[in-house]
Amino acid sequence: MGDHIREPARKTPIRWRADVIVAGGGPAGFAAALAARRQGADVLLLERHGHLGGLATGGLVVELPSFEADGRPIIGGIGRELRDALIQRGHAAMKGDTGHCFFDPEAMKWLCARLLREAGVRVVHHVWVAGTVTDGGRVTGLLAETKQGRVAAAGDMVIDATGDGDVIASTGCEFDQAHALIGLPWRIAGIDANRAGPALAATLSSFREERAPERGWLAAMPVTTADGSLWCTNGLDVADGLDPEALSELELRGRELAFALVERLRREVPGCGSAYVSDVAPQIGVRHTRRLVGRSRVTDGDARVHDKRYPDAIGRAGGFYQVRSLTDVPYGALVPARGDGLLVAGRCVSADLWALETLRLIHACWVTGQAAGTAAAMCAESGAVPATLPYPDLRARLQAEGVAFAEG
Ligand SMILES: Cc1cc2nc3c(=O)[nH]c(=O)nc-3n(C[C@H](O)[C@H](O)[C@H](O)COP(=O)(O)OP(=O)(O)OC[C@H]3O[C@@H](n4cnc5c(N)ncnc54)[C@H](O)[C@@H]3O)c2cc1C
């Protein structure tokens, strides 16, 4: 048999057809699907899990960075609509005067699903995108695994919003890949904050010092999330986020840490006798894996130059804490260097690792998602290809949908 097996050729039924197919329903995929639908496209979104939101919900990444920098909005459009709707309904709250916002991940899943359904996007869960259909260098559809077997989806345009660039890889597009700090956030509930008092912060701090992973870090934020629980975000180790064995090992390590903390809180902190791990993220926190090599690339230098401008900006992005990494996001970072029919959004866009620290944040993924969705719908409508789509038209449509651009 050797090291490989040869699979027999197979005939795969086309189960879905759409103008625009979005692979992945995280922040980028959600925004891409909604944006494409709002431009009039018939949109299909395929998601492997049973919920939307990607790492923001399933990864328990519940903190949104500020939408403002230098006193001006940097995030508008779909991201702002979603955040403001969560706040308005009481499912998210601002974190003091930091400009950051904590949200309830279950509410985020629900609202994303509702918005897509109301808009008329076809969302199909429990579908694992496993390959690409191409015709003369143009992506014309996707192959996917379901419990009913392998199926295909045919479309005019495909958007890779899988976070890991699964579509990029199966299409043969050029990409970069590096190991990343991987985490497994969890939450602890059942804490009586009034009784716990300063002892809680003291125990968290000594736990962090003693148990912070050697090549990572651990942050535990007491009772500040929208639902009143303790949120523990972390980085456990640097590893290949595509390697199932490495990920399996980190799943175990993350759980060990979560239960070590909860047992210590129960023992040492008043008001924590009934504390329990309410949830461990069902999606492990892979910060990055594959990144497209696109027609343009946001680089280290760009993200450090304050307020970097691009002639083909599709919106803005700003760092977690430092407004110094404020930058335009160029359309070229969403467009593969070669091949048609495909756009990329979210944490697998074309950027080097430093710049990705900004571009992979949830609010930036909404920005690249909205732009990819809008551009894909325009291509499907006119027969244009992403590389030659008239930029002024794209910008005008994004502006009409409330996307924030730099002045001047
Ligand atoms: C531990 C950790 C802490 C973080 N902290 C913050 C923070 O505090 N604030 C912040 O803004 N950002 C933070 N981030 C970054 C942010 O959460 C992610 O970069 C962002 O969610 C990426 O969005 P995305 O849509 O590109 O990808 P993802 O959120 O990864 O979504 C991708 C979606 O595609 C689906 N998918 C993947 N492959 C397939 C496939 N083959 N077929 C079908 N579906 C597929 C996945 O199930 C998922 O729903 C953190 C990340 C980590 C890991």
Side-chain angles (χ1 to χ4, degrees), residues 135-379:
D135 183 3
R138 185 185 171 99
V139 177
T140 55
L142 293 173
L143 296 168
E145 298 293 348
T146 74
K147 282 283 186 185
Q148 294 175 325
R150 179 173 279 226
V151 294
D156 293 332
M157 285 295 304
V158 169
I159 298 174
D160 187 345
T162 61
D164 293 315
D166 290 7
V167 180
I168 305 172
S170 70
T171 309
C173 290
E174 199 183 339
F175 61 85
D176 285 332
Q177 191 185 333
H179 287 196
L181 184 61
I182 292 170
L184 188 71
W186 69 82
R187 291 187 294 182
I188 293 178
I191 293 173
D192 180 341
N194 293 328
R195 283 186 57 218
L200 178 60
T203 300
L204 289 175
S205 150
S206 80
F207 183 84
R208 264 200 308 268
E209 265 167 45
E210 290 162 27
R211 298 293 302 267
E214 227 170 71
R215 293 206 292 168
W217 55 273
L218 173 69
M221 304 188 196
V223 200
T224 43
T225 54
D227 72 345
S229 62
L230 183 73
W231 178 48
C232 300
T233 180
N234 53 64
L236 298 169
D237 207 346
V238 177
D240 178 352
L242 300 175
D243 176 351
E245 271 131 351
L247 294 177
S248 302
E249 168 61 25
L250 291 171
E251 292 272 5
L252 274 183
R253 270 200 245 166
R255 269 172 228 281
E256 286 293 341
L257 215 50
F259 281 88
L261 177 58
V262 84
E263 289 186 359
R264 179 136 167 209
L265 292 178
R266 283 182 187 171
R267 277 195 311 273
E268 292 181 12
V269 182
C272 289
S274 304
Y276 63 99
V277 177
S278 54
D279 45 359
V280 174
Q283 283 173 246
I284 193 159
V286 175
R287 287 179 166 82
H288 58 83
T289 52
R290 303 184 188 99
R291 283 162 291 124
L292 176 74
V293 173
R295 295 184 85 82
S296 64
R297 161 151 285 219
V298 188
T299 67
D300 174 320
D302 299 345
R304 284 183 208 216
V305 173
H306 186 59
D307 208 357
K308 168 81 183 178
R309 303 294 172 87
Y310 282 95
D312 62 342
I314 47 85
R316 317 220 73 204
F320 194 75
Y321 292 119
Q322 311 130 350
V323 289
R324 284 215 64 73
S325 47
L326 176 64
T327 176
D328 276 350
V329 184
Y331 174 58
L334 319 184
V335 184
R338 276 189 305 281
D340 283 329
L342 179 64
L343 283 158
V344 175
R347 63 184 168 88
C348 47
V349 295
S350 181
D352 72 7
L353 283 180
W354 176 270
L356 195 73
E357 286 304 297
T358 298
L359 291 187
R360 71 182 177 82
L361 294 172
I362 296 165
H363 58 4
C365 293
W366 282 325
V367 169
T368 54
Q370 182 158 9
T374 305
M378 290 170 70
C379 290

